[in-house]
């Protein structure tokens, strides 16, 4: 019962995180810089690329975000200036939502797998009962008798080879 409640809470939290990230309009400069490629080489996004043009564009984006301009408007302006190739992420795509969903499902699957293993191990341990004392004693006598027979056979081989 507790496991079901915990699973329901985890699924609910994942849904809240996904809905919250999808509905909120990101307005940080880092968000915009991560969605645009540096127009000097189109190899890295603006947030990590080091060139004079990338630095100037980061300063411009910081200023525009500080003035309250939306991330979508800044991105569209950059596309108008440098072409569609400047987009690192396709228009309208929001990979953060997918990452949240996939990550949440992976954590949930791992948790369920571990829970299944623990339940299987505990059931197996409860089904196994210790060996009765009588059978342990009989196996010891059998082992002693076997040891005596092996010793006798080895002595016979030594006598035959001598």
């Amino acid at each position: 019962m507790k496991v079901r409640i915990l699973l329901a809470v985890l699924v609910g939290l994942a849904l809240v995180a996904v809905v919250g990230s999808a509905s909120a309009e990101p307005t940080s400069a880092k968000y915009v810089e991560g969605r645009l490629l540096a127009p000097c080489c189109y190899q890295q996004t603006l947030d990590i690329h080091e060139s004079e043009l990338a630095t100037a564009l980061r300063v411009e984006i910081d200023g525009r975000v500080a003035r309250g301009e939306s991330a979508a408007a800044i991105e569209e302006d950059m596309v108008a200036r440098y072409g569609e190739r400047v987009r690192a992420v396709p228009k309208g795509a929001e990979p953060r939502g997918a990452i949240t969903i996939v990550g949440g499902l992976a954590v949930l699957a791992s948790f369920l797998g571990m829970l299944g293993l623990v339940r299987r191990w505990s059931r197996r341990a409860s089904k196994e009962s210790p060996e009765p004392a009588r059978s342990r004693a009989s196996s010891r006598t059998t082992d002693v008798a076997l040891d005596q027979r092996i010793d006798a056979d080895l002595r016979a081989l030594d006598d035959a080879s001598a």
Side-chain angles (χ1 to χ4, degrees):
M1 183 66 177
K2 292 178 185 178
V3 173
R4 290 182 183 164
I5 293 171
L6 180 62
L7 288 175
V9 168
L10 287 174
V11 169
L13 288 174
L15 288 174
V16 167
V18 168
V19 170
S21 70
S23 64
E25 168 79 20
T27 56
S28 74
K30 284 290 182 195
Y31 173 78
V32 177
E33 294 166 5
R35 292 183 61 88
L36 298 171
L37 293 173
C40 55
C41 64
Y42 298 104
Q43 296 294 318
Q44 296 176 320
T45 54
L46 284 174
D47 58 344
I48 59 172
H49 189 68
E50 291 299 326
S51 69
E52 289 181 26
L53 179 58
T55 303
L57 288 174
R58 279 195 298 270
V59 170
E60 177 186 343
I61 291 170
D62 286 340
R64 291 173 76 174
V65 167
R67 287 190 302 274
E69 196 170 339
S70 73
I74 297 170
E75 186 175 337
E76 289 304 318
D77 179 56
M78 293 293 174
V79 169
R81 285 166 45 187
Y82 297 104
E84 194 66 34
R85 188 174 175 197
V86 79
R87 287 187 201 271
V89 179
K91 184 177 182 174
E94 186 55 52
R96 293 181 307 156
I99 291 170
T100 304
I101 291 171
V102 170
L105 290 175
V107 168
L108 185 63
S110 299
F111 175 75
L112 291 175
M114 291 298 291
L115 181 66
L117 284 174
V118 169
R119 289 182 72 191
R120 192 168 103 191
W121 291 337
S122 64
R123 285 181 185 163
R124 185 182 299 165
S126 66
K127 286 181 182 178
E128 292 177 0
S129 60
E131 198 176 296
R134 223 179 285 137
S135 68
R136 273 188 266 143
S138 66
S139 69
R140 276 193 216 124
T141 57
T142 305
D143 291 344
V144 170
L146 181 62
D147 286 343
Q148 290 173 350
R149 197 172 98 209
I150 291 173
D151 288 341
D153 288 345
L154 288 172
R155 269 187 257 118
L157 283 173
D158 285 344
D159 291 342
S161 65

